[in-house]
Structure formats: C-alpha cells, structure tokens
Amino acid sequence: MRIALPLPLLLALLGAATLPARAQDCPAPQAAAEQAYAARSGNVLPDRAGYTRDTTGSVCRRWPARPELTLLATPVWRDGGDNDAREGDVEVLVVDTGSHLPRAWARLPGALDSDAIFFDGMRLDTARYQLAPDTLAFGLRVQRRNGSGPNPFSEDALQLLALQGGVLRVLGPPMVLRRFQAEWDTRCAGESMETSRTVSVGTPGKHGLADLVLRERQLTTRSWMDGEECRDGRTTVDGERRVLRYDGRQYGVPEALQPL
C-alpha cells in the first residue's frame, strides 16, 4: 500500500463507522437541536455575545441504554475566526426524546479550537461505559486533521460525560484513541505510523467510578521504490497498557494522550 492511501482511507472509515439514521433514531440533527434550544429555559446554555451556535453541524443520537433520552452536541464558534484558525466550544444536551425538553447540559470549552490541525467532524459514542451501578457514561468523539500532502496528520479523541443526579458531568479531558501521521515524498517513499487505543471499564476505583483501561497498538508502514514499483512493509507492535483512575472529580488523562 502506498503511503498516500492511509489518511483518506482512515477518514472514509470514520465516516462509514457512523450508524445510519434508523439505527441512531435521530435522522435530523439540525432540526432536533433547534427544537431543543427553542424549548430550553433561560438558564440552559444561554446565548453568548461574540459566539455563534452552528446547528447545521449538530449531531444527535437516541441513547440506546436510555431510549427515553436523546443526546445532542452542537458546535459553538467564536466570531471572527476562519477555517485555518478559529476557536470553538461544544454544547452537549441530554433531552427528552418525546418533548425535546433539555434534562441536562454541559459546555466543553475549547473542544473545537483549530489552527494548523483543524476540526474535521464529531460523533456521539454510546458504548456501554458502566462506571458504577448508577453511572453510565457516553462519549463525544472529535476528529481533527491537517491539510498537508507530504506530512498528513489526523486524530480521533474521546471525551466522556455522565448523567448523575440530573446533572451532566464532564469526566475529564479528551483522550486520543487514534492518531495517524506520516512523512513521504508524495509519490511513494516515506513512513507512516498509526496509533490506535481501545477503552474498557476496569475494576471499581477508590472514588466511586471504575478505572478505565487503555490498550494500545502501533502500526508502522514504510514504503519505497523498487525499480518502477512502489513497495511497502508493515510492522505492528502492542504498545503500553494504561490505567486511568478517577480522583473524585475527573479521570487523570496524561498530557501525552490528549489531543495536539
């Protein structure tokens, strides 16, 4: 495989991983977001001067574990930026599936801040993160990439939230679950590395929520010209196993695992 292929392929796979509308049971994210914001009371994520809420970029999903609730996430951009450098938050709403009335909400400051590495989409993750008998978390995944041909880069980060006592709590900073980076001559020769991580729920922790266990795998691809033919070789290595512990306020995510 030529080194030019992984980035588009990975982005296509990320898009394919999004479930069809019927499976999500929220086929019109913009309409769902606009209904929820229209139905909210004045203290729920009030409008802010200097920021613009982009409901066209909203994502939504009915929560499989609690189908009476629907999850919504909407980008909110600081005015005056452009596609190359802009600042943005994400507003997350848990709404009643039938009435669209907000039940709980949270803001993720700076979640979409973009510079050389820019925001490239987001989706809701409703894997069963059962952190305690009474605490089921869900996640927001944010994708970023750059626009470089010879040095492509992309990453996918997960941030967990949990509904506790009617309050939507952010459980810590985002953690990178996939990162791809490469350097090549735009024809064949070069090297790429893809790091992928899985998250599983571990043993109960000392402060009420279970540990999170991250397992890592690294795939390195090296490509070179052999006469007129481009060849490549791959090496896969299991990386470090990490345990993230909840300290009573949030999970400690090392800076090395956080987005660039």
Side-chain angles (χ1 to χ4, degrees), residues 1-16:
M1 179 183 291
R2 287 176 170 81
I3 208 162
L5 295 180
L7 179 59
L9 177 59
L10 287 170
L11 294 176
L13 289 174
L14 281 172

Side-chain angles (χ1 to χ4, degrees), residues 19 197 228:
L19 294 176
R197 300 183 180 99
E228 298 297 319

